[in-house]
Amino acid sequence: MDASFERIGGPAADDAPASPVIVSVPHAGRDYPLALRTALRLPEAALTVLEDRYIDLVAQDARTVETMLVQRRARAWIDLNRGEGERDPKVDEGARPQAQPAPSPKIRSGLGLVPRRAGAAGDLWRRRFSAAEVEARIAQDHRPYHAALAALLAAARARFGIAVLIDVHSMPPLGTQAQVVIGDRFGQAAGNRFVARLEAEAAAFGVRAALNTPYAGGHVLDRHAAPGRNVHAIQIEIDRALYLDAALDRPGPGMARTAALLRRMLAAVEDEALSGSGAGLAIAAE
């Protein structure tokens, strides 16, 4: 295990993936470093609103042979689904507002590379962080995760001729709207056939699914998706009410069923990858 994330699947880091599907869980971390806790102006419990609460347990139960990366450092420390340039000057002394024509909606809402706010609880920090502090988080936590993810996708594509990244998140309940949101950056991050298989699995399971609204995917998809090179990437957001307790705080009675749904979705994507055109060329040549 790395200082900030865990690789699950295969006994050695240089093993070729056993599946073309690579799973990423970047927002479920519950490791809150001392430097973070001492800078808080809110109770530590307020930070859980930023977590994809226990979705890592769902993903670990769902995986079979897929290689998976799970971030252990909390999202409040650094957000792996933001680009290195998405730095909020209100909390980060190293941010360069002049380098951006206008702050992104995420930064304006307090959800930049280092989050500034925790929902209705308000601002998180007693002080701004120095440029050196944030750059250390980028070097020690952000870059290693993305480098490992890129290496896994490259290895999967080399073996199978194709790679599919499934980026697993959770979301607050959307009321009568979807219970699962599938994001492909509005068709830019993955082939339509993969999205269709995921939608079909959700429907077969009796779960309402939506595409790209309100979550289309973020930096993980922007950075790693390259459908033209047979590297596809899809974000899956799962309603926390499906697998947590009534308080949306601890694992609940729906954990097993939600893991079964995700397991079926991963299997469907693998089947589509291996049966689709262009897949299997590399492994057949070995």
Side-chain angles (χ1 to χ4, degrees):
M1 179 169 150
D2 181 272
S4 61
F5 68 89
E6 183 178 1
R7 177 187 187 270
I8 302 172
D14 57 354
D15 282 352
S19 167
V21 178
I22 304 298
V23 181
S24 165
V25 188
H27 278 171
R30 294 181 290 278
D31 173 15
Y32 290 91
L34 178 61
L36 177 149
R37 289 183 274 122
T38 56
L40 275 172
R41 62 179 294 272
L42 298 175
E44 188 176 330
L47 296 178
T48 59
V49 71
L50 294 172
E51 294 178 11
D52 285 346
R53 192 78 167 151
Y54 292 110
I55 196 64
D56 54 321
L57 301 187
V58 174
Q60 288 180 63
D61 195 22
R63 75 165 288 274
T64 52
V65 299
E66 302 87 5
T67 305
M68 179 163 61
L69 294 186
V70 178
Q71 177 72 357
R72 296 306 183 193
R73 200 84 79 216
R75 180 186 180 187
W77 179 252
I78 192 163
D79 190 337
L80 301 182
N81 208 23
R82 300 288 178 265
E84 291 186 18
E86 293 184 82
R87 297 172 66 167
D88 184 345
K90 292 183 178 180
V91 74
D92 177 355
E93 293 178 353
R96 297 288 179 265
Q98 64 273 20
Q100 304 179 48
S104 72
K106 293 295 186 184
I107 291 177
R108 289 199 302 272
S109 65
L111 294 174
L113 183 67
V114 174
R116 172 170 44 87
R117 295 180 60 82
D123 288 345
L124 291 170
W125 312 114
R126 299 178 184 275
R127 62 178 179 86
R128 295 169 77 204
F129 297 105
S130 70
E133 286 176 293
V134 176
E135 285 157 12
R137 298 182 197 184
I138 292 171
Q140 295 166 14
D141 300 306
H142 193 279
R143 288 178 187 162
Y145 187 93
H146 284 285
L149 194 51
L152 286 172
L153 291 167
R157 183 182 178 278
R159 181 177 185 190
F160 297 100
I162 190 169
V164 186
L165 168 61
I166 300 296
D167 197 42
V168 180
H169 296 253
S170 72
M171 62 185 184
L174 298 177
T176 59
Q177 301 178 53
Q179 296 165 295
V180 169
V181 177
I182 301 163
D184 68 350
R185 303 300 283 167
F186 299 96
Q188 299 302 304
N192 291 337
R193 60 195 178 99
F194 296 108
V195 172
R197 291 293 298 268
L198 291 169
E199 290 177 317
E201 290 301 325
F205 220 74
V207 170
R208 300 186 304 275
L211 180 59
N212 289 315
T213 302
Y215 306 107
H219 176 69
V220 172
L221 268 58
D222 288 341
R223 174 161 179 173
H224 296 286
R229 294 191 291 107
N230 254 357
V231 179
H232 303 263
I234 300 168
Q235 178 176 285
I236 297 178
E237 294 268 4
I238 298 173
D239 184 343
R240 291 175 198 140
L242 290 178
Y243 68 92
L244 293 179
D245 61 11
L248 302 181
D249 182 57
R250 308 296 296 179
M255 287 284 290
R257 187 173 188 272
T258 306
L261 168 61
L262 182 56
R263 189 179 307 120
R264 285 178 53 161
M265 296 176 98
L266 296 177
V269 168
E270 178 173 326
D271 176 70
E272 189 63 38
L274 294 177
S275 63
S277 61
L281 297 180
I283 194 169
E286 291 180 352

